[in-house]
Amino acid sequence: AAVSQAVAEARDWARIERRSGRQTLDAPVIQTLFQLDQQRIAIDRWAVANRIECVVIADLSKNLFATWSACDALGIEVVAIADSNLAYAHMVYRGVPVLRDSDAAKLDFDGLILSNVNPAQAPRRASAIRDLFELEPLVLTQAVCMDQSPPRSTAIPEAA
């Protein structure tokens, strides 16, 4: 019954979309919303400055694809996604295991990237993983007030 309902709802949405016309976002809008290029640039600068070749990405967040994609494009190996949420136990993301933070901390890697860009969560999470991993994470967020324009680039730590 649930599958039949899902199929019926999908067909309804397909009809609605056909009537209204599919609306896609152009490249500048995607960059404004998701800052994919800025994240790639920030990761590239950080990796070059710190001789990073393989990383653990902390948090299975909605920004994970942007972080993973930047690493992939730059040839940086992602050895694990660190997230202790039990809902992600035994999960694999694009061929990379999702591990509890404590298990990921035992792996061999050069750098740690926090994929969570939520300004309400990132500072607390960065502090927690810094302590556990004993490593300064690359944090890809800057807090922005709703009445301000988004930042032109992501936060980039000073070269070590």
Side-chain angles (χ1 to χ4, degrees), residues 100-109 133:
R100 292 183 327 203
D101 293 349
S102 58
D103 292 333
K106 296 173 187 172
L107 299 175
D108 186 27
F109 58 94
F133 286 82

Side-chain angles (χ1 to χ4, degrees), residues 88-104:
Y88 306 136
H90 310 294
M91 206 172 154
V92 174
Y93 179 82
R94 298 182 179 272
V96 177
V98 179
L99 303 174
R100 292 183 327 203
D101 293 349
S102 58
D103 292 333

Side-chain angles (χ1 to χ4, degrees), residues 17-146:
E17 198 159 317
R18 276 194 302 275
R19 274 188 253 130
S20 66
R22 184 177 183 102
Q23 298 177 352
T24 58
L25 301 175
D26 61 16
V29 172
I30 289 172
Q31 288 305 324
T32 299
L33 291 173
F34 302 109
Q35 299 181 349
L36 301 177
D37 288 344
Q38 291 92 333
Q39 287 189 43
R40 184 186 45 75
I41 291 166
I43 291 170
D44 187 35
R45 289 179 180 166
W46 169 78
V48 168
N50 295 287
R51 296 182 182 93
I52 304 295
E53 296 179 2
C54 62
V55 298
V56 167
I57 298 175
D59 285 6
L60 195 115
S61 70
K62 59 187 164 208
N63 189 57
L64 179 57
F65 175 75
T67 307
W68 181 90
S69 180
C71 291
D72 186 55
L74 296 166
I76 299 170
E77 179 185 6
V78 178
V79 297
I81 311 300
D83 198 312
S84 292
N85 188 322
L86 292 177
Y88 306 136
H90 310 294
M91 206 172 154
V92 174
Y93 179 82
R94 298 182 179 272
V96 177
V98 179
L99 303 174
R100 292 183 327 203
D101 293 349
S102 58
D103 292 333
K106 296 173 187 172
L107 299 175
D108 186 27
F109 58 94
D110 305 320
L112 178 63
I113 303 173
L114 177 59
S115 70
N116 189 333
V117 295
N118 182 330
Q121 298 171 353
R124 183 176 59 245
R125 181 66 171 137
S127 178
I129 61 175
R130 181 182 300 114
D131 293 345
L132 177 66
F133 286 82
E134 298 179 354
L135 190 62
E136 186 64 35
L138 172 63
V139 178
L140 299 169
T141 188
Q142 287 182 345
V144 177
C145 294
M146 294 304 290

